[in-house]
Amino acid sequence: KAGVTQTPRYLIKTRGQQVTLSCSPISGHRSVSWYQQTPGQGLQFLFEYFSETQRNKGNFPGRFSGRQFSNSRSEMNVSTLELGDSALYLCASSFGQTTGELFFGEGSRLTVL
Amino acid sequence: TQLLEQSPQFLSIQEGENLTVYCNSSSVFSSLQWYRQEPGEGPVLLVTVVTGGEVKKLKRLTFQFGDARKDSSLHITAAQPGDTGLYLCAGAGGGSNYKLTFGKGTLLTVNP
């Protein structure tokens, strides 16, 4: 059974640019959550999608957005990148129950110069 | 806002030693999960505790959920270098809260 796949694994951008990250969940999983991980703040919740609908959203500015497709694959976009957006972005999938186990991908390491 | 405080933040021990890490909150959680994250990888679930006072054992790891469901601990017996990693606790609220709240983690290093 394939795990959660995130692409790209590493990327470098400059301030003001935008970036799109992709996440393919485990087959059969309908929920996809996105987290930002930094050494200072730990894992911070960005948003969660279930059946193409955003079900919950964290406290991030509108520059951070996401979407989910009918095949449950998800993308997140960050526009007008800032230095502080440098982080590991983790995607996690689950069957969809609110407190069930999350299966994480290896993450996308974003560096903003 | 539900917050989870983990302590210690960093822990470096020798192989064979025992250790305990803590996860505390002022909020009540319906369940609490522990994850371990190794360098370059995403977190992997170790255990979920649901009932106040519950104790679960996973080989040399013992997890306990506080009676009031506000805190949890992870005890490792005879630590091994393979236990090295970032240990994260995550709490789930009841009702319509669809997300998990993560602590910042305890970075454990077990030296051979």
Side-chain angles (χ1 to χ4, degrees):
Chain A
K1 188 176 185 181
V4 177
T5 304
Q6 291 189 245
T7 56
R9 288 292 313 278
Y10 303 92
L11 66 166
I12 299 174
K13 294 286 187 178
T14 57
R15 282 180 297 175
Q17 288 187 311
Q18 74 164 14
V19 65
T20 299
L21 308 178
S22 180
C23 172
S24 293
I26 292 173
S27 179
H29 286 189
R30 298 167 63 188
S31 170
V32 173
S33 300
W34 287 90
Y35 289 84
Q36 181 195 67
Q37 186 176 33
T38 59
Q41 298 299 319
L43 267 84
Q44 293 188 288
F45 174 76
L46 282 156
F47 27 65
E48 185 227 357
Y49 287 87
F50 181 82
S51 294
E52 302 180 65
T53 300
Q54 187 181 86
R55 193 160 65 170
N56 206 356
K57 189 177 188 302
N59 298 320
F60 278 81
R63 300 185 296 108
F64 293 81
S65 63
R67 59 178 175 170
Q68 187 180 33
F69 303 96
S70 58
N71 61 357
S72 293
R73 190 177 70 85
S74 177
E75 290 181 347
M76 68 163 284
N77 183 276
V78 187
S79 62
T80 319
L81 284 166
E82 301 177 358
L83 296 179
D85 297 333
S86 295
L88 180 67
Y89 290 87
L90 290 162
C91 164
S93 76
S94 70
F95 286 107
Q97 65 274 45
T98 60
T99 58
E101 175 181 0
L102 293 180
F103 295 82
F104 284 88
E106 294 179 316
S108 292
R109 171 77 61 185
L110 171 64
T111 301
V112 182
L113 302 177
Chain B
T1 303
Q2 299 171 322
L3 292 175
L4 279 168
E5 300 289 337
Q6 289 191 245
S7 61
Q9 189 176 357
F10 301 96
L11 186 57
S12 180
I13 61 171
Q14 294 300 122
E15 182 176 2
E17 292 183 2
N18 301 331
L19 67 114
T20 302
V21 298
Y22 300 92
C23 176
N24 297 296
S25 176
S26 58
S27 300
V28 176
F29 291 97
S30 59
S31 66
L32 196 137
Q33 300 176 7
W34 284 92
Y35 290 80
R36 181 171 66 206
Q37 184 177 18
E38 298 184 19
E41 300 182 8
V44 175
L45 181 70
L46 296 173
V47 77
T48 301
V49 285
V50 179
T51 305
E54 182 177 4
V55 177
K56 281 192 174 180
K57 292 191 175 183
L58 184 65
K59 296 182 181 179
R60 295 176 292 101
L61 279 61
T62 301
F63 304 84
Q64 184 163 8
F65 201 13
D67 291 340
R69 290 185 288 126
K70 292 182 178 182
D71 53 83
S72 181
S73 63
L74 158 59
H75 181 79
I76 301 178
T77 304
Q80 299 177 1
D83 296 325
T84 293
L86 179 67
Y87 288 81
L88 296 158
C89 64
S96 61
N97 187 344
Y98 292 102
K99 65 180 177 70
L100 290 175
T101 300
F102 280 83
K104 292 185 179 182
T106 293
L107 184 59
L108 171 65
T109 303
V110 182
N111 302 298

